[in-house]
Amino acid sequence: MNVRPSVPPPPLHQVTHPPRAEQQLQLMGGFEEKAYLAGKQMKPGEDPYREHAFNLQESNRLGSERAIRDTRHYRCASVNYDADLPPTSVIITFHNEARSTLLRTIKSVLMRSPASLVQEIILIDDFSSDRESLSLIQMMRSPPGLIRSRVRGANAASAPVLTFLDSHCEVNADWLQPMIQRVKEDHTRVVSPIIDVISLDNFAYLAASADLRGGFDWSLHFKWEQIPIEQKMARSDPTLPIRTPVIAGGIFVMEKNWFNHLGQYDTHMDIWGGENFELSFRVWMCGGSLEILPCSRVGHVFRKRHPYDFPEGNALTYIKNTRRAAEVWMDEYKQYYYSARPSAQGKAYGSIAERTALRRKLNCKPFRWYMENVYPELRWAHARTQVHAHRCTHKHKNTRTRTIKHISGRPVTLTRPACVGSDVCVCVCVCDAFFRVISVCLFPRLSPACINTHNRNHLYGFL
Ligand SMILES: [Mn+2]
């Protein structure tokens, strides 16, 4: 998951949630928490960030239960949910997780979920080097990688709804009901909470903005972005769901049958990364939808580096996985991915035959439909990406035309009709969806013709 920009906590009334429902903690039976935590201690003088890329000393100091601020909009507290919501299996995959963060994740689920909704918590140990069993609710070891671990957990789940949760989280008040309600109303919805920020330094719980959704650029780099202004203006009720083109991927709720029907995950993806794009494209294009629910909040420790060992290196794994997503789902638009990530061209990505067969079987819509209906804003980003990524700027001096190497590898001739009269112009090629050069922009002098070109660029979200 990526770093989510946080905002200063709003001046809400300090509603905290002390441990409640003692009977839930009995689920943990005779679990010896003290012994478990004491079983792996930091060595004196050890760098507290070394092993987990967050401040382990702070995490250990906090204990397994703590009160956190209720970061929801105040109107969320008065939303009603059905009394007969279906139960869920909470699937937590972890890889070399610190014991204190993992335990806090589990206990926050037990403390802040209605007992009737949590049928089980399934812990999947994703090949950790700390092999001591937690002997908690249900625990399995898995072949390496987040993606395969999730599939393992989903296959083991006995409840009709799956809740995937990261292993360094703290769920907030009533986090589960809004998500299960939406899935109950329409089983094709895949929903996620607003992901609050737990500081990796001092473990402060910070409210994230409620105006963000998941987006990406053509290199398939995930980013949080503002909801488009028209949608924001149309939101009369802050408790309503936010449609999102992609989910961050670490925390979401989905019906189990729908998860299986849509083909679970692409298990030929390695370790970590890119699976959220593959899942998001698949959900949208094959008849479902993705939402962020503002009345559900889950805190997550956002880290700056991975604790995973990537056998092939972090970047190569990401490229292989995203290349698989692009090849299977992006149709002719995959060329933008390759132009934004030229190094992906030669990278082996394995066979995608099974996944393309799945796409045919499910009769999924083309990526063009996704672009037009789910993420039209990506087109705007597109021109910008190309120009920045490929430096097709060129000084024009006194020649009328100039041939440059285009991102597609083909030579492109830039003409400068608007440039007549200027001594020095910088020309920028901007390309449309089919790599046709659609304009040439000029600086620093803006003749009337140049201004037209400038406006045209503006139309494409460039400049
Ligand atoms: Mn995480």
Side-chain angles (χ1 to χ4, degrees):
M1 293 170 59
N2 285 52
V3 177
R4 178 171 195 136
S6 65
V7 295
L12 273 172
H13 44 292
Q14 188 85 4
V15 182
T16 55
H17 290 263
R20 67 169 199 222
E22 271 305 310
Q23 73 276 13
Q24 284 203 38
L25 296 179
Q26 287 171 12
L27 268 173
M28 296 179 67
F31 177 67
E32 292 286 340
E33 179 180 318
K34 279 207 176 75
Y36 171 71
L37 289 175
K40 196 158 186 289
Q41 296 275 13
M42 278 182 63
K43 293 168 195 73
E46 191 184 325
D47 172 7
Y49 292 84
R50 187 184 60 85
E51 214 176 329
H52 303 286
F54 56 65
N55 187 343
L56 180 62
Q57 200 167 9
E58 262 318 286
S59 176
N60 291 351
R61 204 180 53 79
L62 274 180
S64 65
E65 297 164 24
R66 66 158 171 172
I68 50 174
R69 201 164 52 84
D70 183 345
T71 50
R72 297 172 298 170
H73 192 277
Y74 71 91
R75 279 163 71 175
C76 293
S78 49
V79 174
N80 290 316
Y81 304 102
D82 294 354
D84 60 341
L85 291 175
T88 185
S89 299
V90 179
I91 299 164
I92 302 173
T93 56
F94 64 97
H95 173 76
N96 289 345
E97 186 58 69
R99 294 184 177 200
S100 52
T101 38
L102 179 58
L103 195 57
R104 228 174 4 258
T105 305
I106 295 164
K107 291 189 93 170
S108 75
V109 170
L110 294 173
M111 286 176 343
R112 301 197 184 95
S113 314
S116 61
L117 289 189
V118 181
Q119 182 157 316
E120 63 195 348
I121 298 177
I122 300 177
L123 295 171
I124 307 283
D125 178 354
D126 172 10
F127 218 63
S128 298
S129 42
D130 173 10
R131 304 293 286 179
E132 188 182 320
S133 169
L134 253 156
S135 66
L136 277 176
I137 298 97
Q138 186 181 345
M139 163 114 167
M140 324 177 136
R141 292 204 195 279
S142 167
L146 169 93
I147 296 152
R148 293 182 269 258
S149 298
R150 291 239 184 96
V151 170
R152 179 104 200 267
N155 288 339
S158 62
V161 177
L162 307 175
T163 299
F164 293 99
L165 190 60
D166 207 351
S167 54
H168 31 263
C169 291
E170 283 166 76
V171 303
N172 211 318
D174 299 336
W175 69 298
L176 213 43
Q177 295 94 315
M179 296 198 282
I180 296 184
Q181 178 78 40
R182 290 295 288 174
V183 169
K184 183 196 169 194
E185 287 166 6
D186 178 347
H187 75 278
T188 67
R189 287 176 187 147
V190 176
V191 299
S192 51
I194 288 184
I195 304 173
D196 286 332
V197 175
I198 300 172
S199 160
L200 63 89
D201 296 312
N202 62 12
F203 278 76
Y205 189 103
L206 308 165
S209 163
D211 292 329
L212 301 177
R213 64 175 193 175
F216 57 92
D217 60 26
W218 286 110
S219 69
L220 294 185
H221 173 81
F222 178 87
K223 59 183 183 184
W224 298 102
E225 62 181 29
Q226 292 288 327
I227 304 167
I229 189 77
E230 332 71 87
Q231 282 179 42
K232 200 167 162 177
M233 302 293 272
R235 283 176 69 76
S236 52
D237 178 350
T239 69
L240 291 177
I242 296 164
R243 270 165 53 104
T244 186
V246 283
I247 51 172
I251 309 168
F252 64 94
V253 173
M254 184 171 186
E255 203 198 66
K256 179 171 170 158
N257 286 339
W258 185 236
F259 179 76
N260 290 336
H261 173 78
L262 284 186
Q264 301 191 321
Y265 269 113
D266 177 357
T267 50
H268 288 99
M269 286 187 175
D270 290 335
I271 313 292
W272 181 94
E275 86 291 343
N276 58 324
F277 291 105
E278 197 273 341
L279 178 72
S280 299
F281 297 158
R282 187 153 45 86
V283 167
W284 276 115
M285 290 162 62
C286 309
S289 60
L290 297 174
E291 296 177 348
I292 294 169
L293 303 181
C295 289
S296 178
R297 295 258 181 177
V298 173
H300 171 256
V301 184
F302 288 94
R303 289 176 289 188
K304 293 179 182 133
R305 65 176 165 86
H306 282 280
Y308 272 104
D309 291 324
F310 290 83
E312 290 199 68
N314 185 338
L316 281 182
T317 302
Y318 197 78
I319 283 175
K320 177 190 168 183
N321 292 353
T322 51
R323 187 169 185 192
R324 289 184 67 85
E327 283 290 335
V328 175
W329 296 101
M330 290 174 72
D331 303 330
E332 72 272 23
Y333 291 82
K334 72 186 177 193
Q335 61 187 317
Y336 298 135
Y337 165 77
Y338 287 117
S339 56
R341 252 187 216 278
S343 58
Q345 297 270 12
K347 170 73 184 143
Y349 60 98
S351 166
I352 54 167
E354 274 172 43
R355 300 308 279 182
T356 51
L358 170 78
R359 182 177 166 177
R360 269 196 306 279
K361 188 188 88 181
L362 296 173
N363 199 19
C364 307
K365 297 185 185 85
F367 198 77
R368 173 176 293 279
W369 174 89
Y370 174 87
M371 287 289 294
E372 286 167 0
N373 296 280
V374 180
Y375 202 16
E377 296 79 10
L378 185 57
R379 260 182 186 285
W380 292 58
H382 148 74
R384 203 172 17 224
T385 306
Q386 305 235 329
V387 170
H388 287 317
H390 301 286
R391 296 183 297 276
C392 52
T393 55
H394 196 83
K395 282 211 162 162
H396 236 274
K397 302 273 165 61
N398 292 320
T399 47
R400 246 191 118 72
T401 61
R402 197 79 174 205
T403 301
I404 61 161
K405 195 166 175 240
H406 187 246
I407 48 180
S408 61
R410 293 194 308 265
V412 165
T413 301
L414 290 181
T415 56
R416 45 164 203 153
C419 215
V420 180
S422 316
D423 349 314
V424 178
C425 298
V426 174
C427 297
V428 178
C429 66
V430 178
C431 313
D432 71 3
F434 299 95
F435 282 127
R436 289 178 300 228
V437 175
I438 52 172
S439 73
V440 175
C441 181
L442 312 162
F443 305 96
R445 287 195 194 173
L446 293 177
S447 69
C450 285
I451 289 166
N452 287 339
T453 318
H454 175 92
N455 286 342
R456 193 161 161 210
N457 280 333
H458 196 66
L459 198 69
Y460 282 83
F462 160 65
L463 290 184

